[in-house]
Amino acid sequence: MSVRVSVVGASGYGGGELVRILTGHPEVEIVHLAADTHAGQPMDALFPNLKTFTGRRTEELDLSVLASDSDVVFLALPNGIAMDLVPPLLEAGAKVIDLGADFRLKKAEVYERWYKIPHRSASYLEEAVYGLPELNRAAVRGARLVANPGCYPTAALIALSPVLRHPAASRQGIVIDAKSGVSGAGRGLSLGTHFSEVNENVKPYNVGVHRHQPEMEQALAEAGAAVSVLFAPHLIPMTRGILATCYVRLQEPLAQEAAVDLYREAYDPEPFVRVLTDSLPETKATYGSNFCDVTVRVDLERGVAVALGALDNLGKGAATQAIQCMNLMFGRPETEGLLQPPLYP
Amino acid sequence: MSVRVSVVGASGYGGGELVRILTGHPEVEIVHLAADTHAGQPMDALFPNLKTFTGRRTEELDLSVLASDSDVVFLALPNGIAMDLVPPLLEAGAKVIDLGADFRLKKAEVYERWYKIPHRSASYLEEAVYGLPELNRAAVRGARLVANPGCYPTAALIALSPVLRHPAASRQGIVIDAKSGVSGAGRGLSLGTHFSEVNENVKPYNVGVHRHQPEMEQALAEAGAAVSVLFAPHLIPMTRGILATCYVRLQEPLAQEAAVDLYREAYDPEPFVRVLTDSLPETKATYGSNFCDVTVRVDLERGVAVALGALDNLGKGAATQAIQCMNLMFGRPETEGLLQPPLYP
Amino acid sequence: MSVRVSVVGASGYGGGELVRILTGHPEVEIVHLAADTHAGQPMDALFPNLKTFTGRRTEELDLSVLASDSDVVFLALPNGIAMDLVPPLLEAGAKVIDLGADFRLKKAEVYERWYKIPHRSASYLEEAVYGLPELNRAAVRGARLVANPGCYPTAALIALSPVLRHPAASRQGIVIDAKSGVSGAGRGLSLGTHFSEVNENVKPYNVGVHRHQPEMEQALAEAGAAVSVLFAPHLIPMTRGILATCYVRLQEPLAQEAAVDLYREAYDPEPFVRVLTDSLPETKATYGSNFCDVTVRVDLERGVAVALGALDNLGKGAATQAIQCMNLMFGRPETEGLLQPPLYP
Amino acid sequence: MSVRVSVVGASGYGGGELVRILTGHPEVEIVHLAADTHAGQPMDALFPNLKTFTGRRTEELDLSVLASDSDVVFLALPNGIAMDLVPPLLEAGAKVIDLGADFRLKKAEVYERWYKIPHRSASYLEEAVYGLPELNRAAVRGARLVANPGCYPTAALIALSPVLRHPAASRQGIVIDAKSGVSGAGRGLSLGTHFSEVNENVKPYNVGVHRHQPEMEQALAEAGAAVSVLFAPHLIPMTRGILATCYVRLQEPLAQEAAVDLYREAYDPEPFVRVLTDSLPETKATYGSNFCDVTVRVDLERGVAVALGALDNLGKGAATQAIQCMNLMFGRPETEGLLQPPLYP
């Protein structure tokens, strides 16, 4: 029997990508698309690629209708809104996958410090499962509420985890230098997403003060590695893609081969993580998909391991990872609807 | 029973796109990938997106093996090579879909004038079917040899055909101004595809002397409209996509509504042509797909109809159109394996 | 003695480009930079390229101060504002160069039809000089009020004028297909200038209904060629540059050589128009400059002349052309401050 | 009296940028442009931006003519060629500025290990001056042979030097994560510079094994900081620009303000280094210029200083820095011919 699915925030990039993939999922029925500011518009006017794939219009948000008609509701909203929608949806019996940040951090005060928003649903933070199946599969399966990871943390955590589990890796002074396409900033308008400002430019921002930094530290701590991470994101002139280049000091020698073996062991069973041995990850190889490509390079002389992860920020970094979680939560095959090859070139 | 498929020229963009789509086609078995200059390399080293989708290596071309193992062979080669491969493949019983130009023009002397290559298989020109299903479906179904249309002609012919069938349309002085992404020039190296030369640039080329001009004129003549076409292609800084903006003089009035109706009638039954009524075609809406978006705008005061068509030059302009033809040739549903929504943004 | 110059609208792209060039002009003193919405900000915070070139801050608009301190005021504003600033500035003795559209069209009713704004200073339309020196040099020299041409009209008029003066050229059914970078849409925010919507996309817009169409028709009529023009602009993924590809029917034969000679005669004396004979114009060759590159290609068999013009929409299409006019208005050498070579690649 | 200048390698991007700037230099006379593979072509056919700026043709290399006609010869050549040209040019009395790597490393064996080319002019390595005026001004003034720094080292050295002079900075484990535009790879053809491979992609390469790594270590050692540097370059989809993000461990606290003061002290007297205090460097702000924008951000909690430097790889990273050196070598004002503001946007 199909999973009945609704999307709130269907007019944004996360919402559009969810619908693009969900229309091709063999066991999903889309029941509602909510988008307050564009309510009533045909979805294929908001996303012209979807013409012939959906005749559906976006609707105003009606929580009780949503909850009664849906098995699961995806929330793809600006931060601070989902926290008010999650309690009524859960209480009415729907499951929720939140693509935003409201339920990612376990402590309300950390959320409030970084997001400058009081948390009005702090009692649900404990229950929320951080939806990174590669670290957290069992919990996702049993979850009622999934907090889908941020795009940067997804790339960095998949890239870093295997080497950080090794005792040679120092847990201090980790640096994550990430390069992101512009769609990660959403479909909202700002000078920072204006074509003429972004094109022919590379721009660091929020160095050491980005909100994904505490999310990474928390997730690594939960995975057993209490670390301190310096995160430096950069905006580069492309639409989709994140590359995380992560620098880890080695406190004892670790051979290149042994380092790669850590990745093979961790990810050979994983359907969506591809370990590269003869090349380095590049974002284009993951374009439009749920794949994350990773590898590691050890510089023994300098005592540094460089872990690299590439993905599509709207795919594995957002919408397709959310669908991967949905598959787990509803007992579907984990890869269902997600196995189209990435686009190249 | 699956169709056994081989691809010759698998290391180029046309070949890579064929394999990308064919790996997801439920009734296709890929049997050989030939690529002389890269023979022996893993396909996923040439196309890193394909990792986990194929473990196959490219092989040197062996026509007798190809012919005996394959129901159909796709040729994605520089012009002038296919003409030597087609006769032995056909005689050995395989069908052939040629993505190049060798069998598109019906007259050897026209081919020779435009391509500066003597045609060594002219006796097969008569048999070759021009593989544009929207104009030529029945013939494609029965074909042994399909000449897949050029990327520019596909966009222009789909855009122009409906209005040209109307008596208001003059058949003289038609102008096709096309804008193309760079992947249309192939994966070969030239200063004209160097990133630094293409980026932040728009460049007309071969104005009035491009090889696709006689192809368009021939196809329109076969479709009943003997016309003269001036074709002006432009290279713009993007990877995928072609937009053809076609200007047709009106020798008598034609109302906007009536003009759009011509498109609706022609294309409402077509699974891969989408007629836009409230917006204009843009290439991004067709990204990575077999769709062609079209519409027409009439300027009654100036007596001009502007027909517009947008597609992905590697999709409907090349590889996916070839697979659409394959589906027809083998009695498969025409849309099989081809209904993923385009990527956006 | 230096020309005292002020810029109103200094925070937009037109304003920024004016200041960039004016800081290097040997006989200009910048006295005021006005930018209401960003008043009080350092100019080099709005335009980080200008750091060390100007310590000036933007100010709120004060017309009487502007007029008394300035020999000339450049207006780089959204349409509909300049019409209220021009009368007081002129009456107070300053000259004005308006980069917007308010004073380009000679008839208030035409302006009102296309811009949907009542014209509140219609009595100044007669006096305003259309600031295209190549067509209008003498008038510019004597002008008190210059209406700087639109970016598209500049490219199209320079490309079309020579061939249109020849009797072989039909004045009916002229088509101008233009491709523009995104900075032409200004620094304001809209979904249409969002990087993710523009990148990897080509998008026609306002086909046959763009406001620059009547401007072109008027300017060609003034230059002696009463024509009807169909204008089809396209947005392509680059920041700077316009290419106008113009199609003119030939009512009698015109040899290629003779056609090019028309351009040589017209433009050999011009410092900023370069006639190409062995290649076609491309926008990159004009990047950041006041140059317009042009040529013509005749297709005798089809009876069409293709006139092509390329320029930088912020340079010759806006700011540097305005400075060229300023030089003429103040008896300075026409090329003063404008002879830096374009950037390439 | 003008400096008589020749350029060898005029058909490449470094050569083209040299000529672009030198044509605007008030005290330079260009006497020869050599370009073996394109000898005899008009320079403005190789670089269409230069039309009307030079009527000169490229010539075959003739060392004796070059040496006798030139005060200084710029070499912009693939590595391994300059080493044969420098001795005869110097012995004939010309000065040489080499934009390549042949004379940057002080030890022939280091050069040979990294460049895989035997050094045939090792006796000149001692004399060669590393042409980074901000570190090395006095030596450049007196030089006969200048080795112009690599593009990456220029950005990294200017960014790192001030903080590395402070005792709080650890000299071990420095990481330089750099993002570069494609023109840095030159005008030669390779799959890695093909538009379709680069666009919508970010690609790390040569992590820990790039040839600029020993150059950086040597230059820092000469400047008093014997350090070990891990260098990770990334190719991003833009034409011009390098951003170096450099991570330095702090072995004792260093306040943000104190850190920025180090940069102000070092660079306030420098005409081409701009220290940002309220924003982070972005490459667009330096487009087409000789500027390098820098700043530093300290994360006290994590004990890391992040030093950032942005420049144009063809400008301060190559051609304009070479001209800055020329000005010093010939007693000209250091900024002569180099003070055009960068282009934006």
Side-chain angles (χ1 to χ4, degrees):
Chain A
M1 217 182 76
S2 287
V3 182
R4 295 170 305 151
V5 170
S6 293
V7 176
V8 182
S11 62
Y13 288 144
E17 188 74 351
L18 282 166
V19 176
R20 180 177 79 88
I21 300 295
L22 290 170
T23 60
H25 193 293
E27 294 297 331
V28 157
E29 181 196 354
I30 300 178
V31 290
H32 294 290
L33 302 177
D36 265 18
T37 50
H38 298 88
Q41 286 199 38
M43 189 64 182
D44 64 7
L46 296 169
F47 288 96
N49 59 318
L50 295 178
K51 192 170 166 75
T52 74
F53 290 91
T54 177
R56 202 167 284 280
R57 286 171 182 274
T58 55
E59 311 163 27
E60 286 193 32
L61 181 64
D62 181 328
L63 282 177
S64 62
V65 169
L66 268 192
S68 65
D69 292 354
S70 315
D71 298 311
V72 61
V73 178
F74 290 93
L75 305 178
L77 294 163
N79 297 319
I81 302 178
M83 64 174 74
D84 294 327
L85 310 186
V86 161
L89 288 170
L90 292 182
E91 299 323 318
K95 297 185 179 182
V96 177
I97 301 174
D98 178 20
L99 280 75
D102 285 8
F103 295 91
R104 290 183 197 149
L105 296 170
K106 283 302 169 199
K107 297 186 181 164
E109 64 270 24
V110 178
Y111 178 86
E112 292 170 3
R113 182 159 75 245
W114 287 86
Y115 288 87
K116 317 291 179 203
I117 304 171
H119 206 300
R120 296 179 296 273
S121 301
S123 61
Y124 289 82
L125 290 175
E126 178 66 25
E127 174 183 357
V129 173
Y130 192 66
L132 193 60
E134 288 76 10
L135 294 185
N136 232 3
R137 182 166 285 111
V140 172
R141 271 194 226 279
R144 197 169 61 140
L145 169 59
V146 161
N148 209 51
C151 49
Y152 286 123
T154 299
L157 295 170
I158 294 179
L160 275 172
S161 297
V163 73
L164 281 190
R165 286 189 206 108
H166 193 278
S170 167
R171 282 148 187 227
Q172 299 308 310
I174 293 167
V175 167
I176 298 172
D177 184 300
K179 298 89 182 161
S180 176
V182 180
S183 63
R187 208 178 194 182
L189 304 181
S190 72
L191 196 58
T193 59
H194 192 299
F195 184 90
S196 304
E197 306 281 324
V198 172
N199 194 39
E200 282 294 287
N201 200 7
V202 48
K203 193 172 172 140
Y205 69 104
N206 290 349
V207 172
V209 296
H210 192 282
R211 294 158 168 185
H212 285 174
Q213 192 169 293
E215 182 182 334
M216 295 175 190
E217 290 184 339
Q218 172 186 288
L220 289 168
E222 285 186 0
V227 299
S228 90
V229 167
L230 179 87
F231 174 47
H234 299 73
L235 197 65
I236 64 174
M238 63 186 198
T239 301
R240 287 172 176 249
I242 283 181
L243 180 79
T245 314
C246 312
Y247 302 91
V248 178
R249 271 187 281 154
L250 296 174
Q251 49 207 8
E252 55 186 78
L254 173 64
Q256 171 66 32
E257 263 310 297
V260 172
D261 283 345
L262 299 170
Y263 285 75
R264 282 213 194 89
E265 282 159 31
Y267 296 131
D268 277 358
E270 287 295 339
F272 294 117
V273 182
R274 305 186 294 196
V275 179
L276 307 184
T277 51
D278 301 328
S279 60
L280 299 176
E282 52 185 314
T283 56
K284 190 184 273 294
T286 68
Y287 210 79
S289 83
N290 196 44
F291 289 94
C292 180
D293 287 356
V294 294
T295 199
V296 66
R297 283 286 186 277
V298 176
D299 184 325
L300 271 179
E301 194 181 332
R302 288 171 186 76
V304 181
V306 186
L308 298 119
L311 51 71
D312 184 325
N313 56 295
L314 293 179
K316 182 65 173 170
T320 56
Q321 176 147 274
I323 295 168
Q324 184 183 359
C325 289
M326 179 200 77
N327 283 339
L328 290 167
M329 292 159 79
F330 288 88
R332 307 294 323 161
E334 187 169 347
T335 61
E336 196 173 57
L338 296 172
L339 279 184
Q340 302 79 21
L343 209 61
Y344 192 100
Chain B
M1 218 181 72
S2 287
V3 181
R4 297 169 305 150
V5 169
S6 292
V7 176
V8 182
S11 62
Y13 288 143
E17 188 74 352
L18 281 166
V19 175
R20 181 177 78 87
I21 300 296
L22 290 169
T23 60
H25 192 294
E27 294 298 331
V28 156
E29 180 196 355
I30 299 178
V31 292
H32 294 291
L33 301 177
D36 266 19
T37 51
H38 298 88
Q41 286 199 39
M43 189 64 184
D44 65 5
L46 296 169
F47 289 95
N49 59 318
L50 295 178
K51 193 171 164 77
T52 74
F53 290 91
T54 176
R56 201 169 284 280
R57 285 172 183 272
T58 55
E59 311 163 27
E60 286 192 33
L61 180 64
D62 181 326
L63 283 178
S64 61
V65 169
L66 268 193
S68 64
D69 292 355
S70 314
D71 297 312
V72 62
V73 178
F74 290 93
L75 304 179
L77 294 164
N79 297 318
I81 301 177
M83 64 174 75
D84 293 327
L85 310 185
V86 162
L89 288 170
L90 292 182
E91 299 323 319
K95 295 184 179 182
V96 177
I97 300 173
D98 178 20
L99 280 76
D102 285 8
F103 295 92
R104 289 182 198 151
L105 296 170
K106 284 300 170 200
K107 297 186 180 165
E109 64 270 25
V110 178
Y111 178 85
E112 293 170 4
R113 181 159 76 244
W114 287 87
Y115 289 87
K116 316 291 179 204
I117 304 171
H119 206 301
R120 295 179 297 273
S121 302
S123 60
Y124 289 82
L125 291 175
E126 178 66 23
E127 174 182 358
V129 172
Y130 192 65
L132 192 59
E134 288 76 10
L135 293 185
N136 232 2
R137 183 166 283 112
V140 171
R141 270 194 227 280
R144 199 169 61 139
L145 168 59
V146 160
N148 208 52
C151 49
Y152 286 122
T154 299
L157 294 170
I158 293 179
L160 275 172
S161 297
V163 73
L164 281 190
R165 287 191 205 108
H166 194 279
S170 167
R171 284 151 185 224
Q172 299 309 309
I174 294 168
V175 167
I176 298 171
D177 183 300
K179 300 88 183 162
S180 176
V182 181
S183 63
R187 208 177 195 181
L189 304 181
S190 72
L191 195 59
T193 59
H194 192 298
F195 184 89
S196 303
E197 305 280 325
V198 172
N199 194 38
E200 282 294 285
N201 200 8
V202 48
K203 192 172 173 140
Y205 69 104
N206 289 350
V207 172
V209 297
H210 192 283
R211 292 158 169 187
H212 285 174
Q213 191 169 293
E215 182 182 335
M216 295 174 190
E217 290 183 339
Q218 171 186 289
L220 289 168
E222 285 186 359
V227 299
S228 91
V229 167
L230 179 86
F231 174 48
H234 300 74
L235 198 65
I236 64 174
M238 63 184 199
T239 301
R240 287 170 178 249
I242 284 182
L243 179 79
T245 314
C246 312
Y247 302 91
V248 178
R249 271 187 281 154
L250 297 174
Q251 49 207 12
E252 55 186 77
L254 174 64
Q256 171 66 29
E257 264 309 297
V260 172
D261 282 346
L262 299 171
Y263 285 75
R264 282 213 193 91
E265 282 158 32
Y267 296 130
D268 276 359
E270 288 295 336
F272 293 117
V273 181
R274 305 186 293 195
V275 179
L276 307 184
T277 52
D278 301 329
S279 60
L280 299 175
E282 52 185 314
T283 57
K284 190 183 272 295
T286 68
Y287 210 78
S289 83
N290 196 45
F291 289 94
C292 180
D293 288 355
V294 294
T295 199
V296 65
R297 281 287 185 278
V298 176
D299 184 325
L300 271 180
E301 194 181 331
R302 287 170 187 76
V304 181
V306 186
L308 299 120
L311 50 71
D312 183 326
N313 55 295
L314 294 178
K316 181 65 174 168
T320 56
Q321 175 146 274
I323 294 169
Q324 183 182 359
C325 288
M326 179 201 77
N327 284 339
L328 290 168
M329 292 159 78
F330 288 87
R332 307 295 321 162
E334 187 169 346
T335 61
E336 197 172 57
L338 296 172
L339 279 183
Q340 303 78 22
L343 209 62
Y344 192 99
Chain C
M1 217 180 75
S2 287
V3 181
R4 296 169 306 149
V5 169
S6 292
V7 176
V8 181
S11 61
Y13 288 144
E17 188 74 350
L18 281 167
V19 175
R20 181 177 78 87
I21 301 295
L22 290 170
T23 60
H25 192 294
E27 294 298 331
V28 156
E29 181 196 356
I30 299 179
V31 290
H32 295 289
L33 302 176
D36 266 19
T37 52
H38 298 88
Q41 286 200 39
M43 188 66 184
D44 65 5
L46 297 169
F47 289 95
N49 59 319
L50 295 178
K51 194 173 165 75
T52 74
F53 289 91
T54 176
R56 200 169 284 279
R57 286 172 183 271
T58 55
E59 310 163 28
E60 286 192 34
L61 180 64
D62 181 329
L63 283 178
S64 61
V65 169
L66 268 192
S68 64
D69 291 355
S70 315
D71 298 311
V72 61
V73 178
F74 290 94
L75 304 178
L77 294 164
N79 297 318
I81 301 177
M83 65 174 76
D84 293 328
L85 310 186
V86 161
L89 287 170
L90 292 183
E91 300 321 319
K95 296 184 181 184
V96 177
I97 300 173
D98 178 20
L99 280 75
D102 285 8
F103 294 91
R104 289 183 197 149
L105 296 170
K106 284 300 169 200
K107 298 186 180 165
E109 65 270 23
V110 178
Y111 179 85
E112 292 170 4
R113 181 159 77 243
W114 286 87
Y115 288 87
K116 316 291 179 203
I117 304 170
H119 206 300
R120 296 179 296 273
S121 302
S123 61
Y124 290 81
L125 291 176
E126 179 65 25
E127 173 182 358
V129 172
Y130 192 66
L132 193 60
E134 288 76 10
L135 294 185
N136 233 4
R137 182 165 285 111
V140 172
R141 271 195 225 281
R144 198 170 61 140
L145 168 59
V146 160
N148 208 50
C151 49
Y152 286 122
T154 300
L157 294 171
I158 294 179
L160 275 173
S161 297
V163 73
L164 282 189
R165 285 191 207 109
H166 194 277
S170 168
R171 282 148 187 226
Q172 298 308 309
I174 294 168
V175 167
I176 297 172
D177 183 301
K179 299 88 182 160
S180 176
V182 181
S183 63
R187 208 177 193 182
L189 304 180
S190 72
L191 196 58
T193 60
H194 191 299
F195 184 89
S196 303
E197 305 280 324
V198 172
N199 194 37
E200 282 294 284
N201 200 8
V202 49
K203 193 172 174 142
Y205 68 105
N206 289 350
V207 172
V209 297
H210 192 284
R211 293 158 168 187
H212 285 174
Q213 192 169 294
E215 182 182 334
M216 294 174 192
E217 290 183 340
Q218 171 186 287
L220 288 169
E222 285 186 0
V227 300
S228 92
V229 167
L230 180 87
F231 175 48
H234 299 74
L235 197 65
I236 64 174
M238 63 185 199
T239 301
R240 285 171 178 249
I242 283 182
L243 180 77
T245 314
C246 311
Y247 302 91
V248 178
R249 271 187 282 151
L250 297 175
Q251 49 207 12
E252 55 186 77
L254 173 64
Q256 172 65 32
E257 264 309 298
V260 172
D261 282 345
L262 299 170
Y263 285 75
R264 284 214 193 90
E265 282 158 33
Y267 297 130
D268 276 358
E270 287 294 340
F272 294 117
V273 181
R274 305 186 293 194
V275 179
L276 307 183
T277 52
D278 301 329
S279 60
L280 299 175
E282 52 185 313
T283 56
K284 192 183 271 294
T286 67
Y287 211 77
S289 83
N290 196 45
F291 289 94
C292 180
D293 288 355
V294 294
T295 199
V296 65
R297 283 286 187 275
V298 176
D299 185 324
L300 271 180
E301 194 180 331
R302 288 171 186 76
V304 181
V306 186
L308 299 120
L311 50 71
D312 183 325
N313 56 295
L314 293 178
K316 181 66 175 169
T320 56
Q321 176 147 274
I323 295 169
Q324 183 183 358
C325 288
M326 180 201 75
N327 284 338
L328 290 168
M329 292 159 78
F330 288 88
R332 306 294 323 159
E334 186 168 347
T335 61
E336 197 174 56
L338 296 172
L339 280 183
Q340 303 78 21
L343 210 62
Y344 192 100
Chain D
M1 218 182 75
S2 286
V3 182
R4 296 170 305 150
V5 170
S6 293
V7 175
V8 182
S11 61
Y13 288 145
E17 188 74 351
L18 282 167
V19 175
R20 180 177 79 87
I21 301 296
L22 290 170
T23 60
H25 193 293
E27 294 297 331
V28 157
E29 180 197 356
I30 300 179
V31 291
H32 295 290
L33 302 176
D36 265 18
T37 51
H38 297 87
Q41 286 199 41
M43 189 65 183
D44 65 6
L46 297 169
F47 289 95
N49 58 319
L50 295 179
K51 193 172 166 73
T52 73
F53 290 92
T54 176
R56 202 168 282 281
R57 286 172 182 272
T58 56
E59 311 162 28
E60 286 193 34
L61 180 63
D62 181 328
L63 283 178
S64 61
V65 169
L66 270 191
S68 64
D69 292 354
S70 315
D71 298 312
V72 61
V73 177
F74 291 93
L75 305 178
L77 294 164
N79 297 318
I81 301 177
M83 64 174 75
D84 294 327
L85 310 186
V86 161
L89 287 169
L90 292 182
E91 300 322 320
K95 296 185 180 184
V96 177
I97 301 173
D98 179 20
L99 279 76
D102 285 8
F103 294 91
R104 290 182 197 150
L105 296 169
K106 284 298 171 201
K107 296 186 180 164
E109 63 270 23
V110 179
Y111 179 86
E112 291 169 3
R113 181 158 78 245
W114 286 87
Y115 288 86
K116 317 291 180 203
I117 304 171
H119 207 301
R120 296 179 297 272
S121 302
S123 61
Y124 289 82
L125 291 175
E126 179 66 24
E127 174 182 357
V129 172
Y130 192 66
L132 194 59
E134 288 76 11
L135 294 185
N136 233 3
R137 183 165 284 112
V140 172
R141 272 195 225 280
R144 196 169 62 141
L145 169 59
V146 160
N148 208 52
C151 49
Y152 286 124
T154 300
L157 295 170
I158 294 178
L160 275 172
S161 298
V163 73
L164 282 189
R165 287 191 205 107
H166 193 277
S170 167
R171 283 151 185 225
Q172 299 307 311
I174 294 168
V175 167
I176 298 171
D177 184 301
K179 300 90 182 159
S180 176
V182 181
S183 63
R187 209 177 193 182
L189 303 181
S190 72
L191 197 58
T193 59
H194 192 299
F195 184 90
S196 304
E197 305 281 324
V198 172
N199 194 39
E200 282 295 286
N201 200 9
V202 49
K203 194 171 173 143
Y205 68 104
N206 290 349
V207 172
V209 297
H210 192 283
R211 295 159 167 185
H212 285 173
Q213 193 168 291
E215 182 182 334
M216 295 174 189
E217 290 184 340
Q218 171 187 288
L220 289 167
E222 285 186 0
V227 299
S228 90
V229 167
L230 179 86
F231 174 49
H234 299 73
L235 197 65
I236 64 174
M238 63 186 197
T239 301
R240 287 171 176 249
I242 284 180
L243 180 79
T245 315
C246 312
Y247 302 92
V248 178
R249 271 187 283 152
L250 296 174
Q251 50 207 6
E252 56 186 74
L254 173 64
Q256 172 66 31
E257 263 310 296
V260 172
D261 283 346
L262 298 171
Y263 284 74
R264 283 214 194 88
E265 282 159 32
Y267 296 131
D268 276 358
E270 288 294 339
F272 294 116
V273 182
R274 304 186 294 195
V275 179
L276 307 184
T277 52
D278 301 328
S279 60
L280 299 175
E282 52 185 312
T283 57
K284 191 184 272 294
T286 68
Y287 211 77
S289 83
N290 195 45
F291 289 93
C292 180
D293 287 356
V294 295
T295 199
V296 66
R297 283 285 185 279
V298 176
D299 184 325
L300 270 179
E301 194 181 331
R302 289 170 185 77
V304 181
V306 186
L308 298 119
L311 51 70
D312 183 325
N313 55 294
L314 293 179
K316 181 66 174 168
T320 56
Q321 175 147 271
I323 295 169
Q324 183 183 0
C325 288
M326 179 200 76
N327 284 339
L328 290 167
M329 292 159 79
F330 288 87
R332 307 293 323 160
E334 187 168 348
T335 61
E336 195 173 57
L338 296 172
L339 279 183
Q340 302 79 20
L343 209 62
Y344 192 100

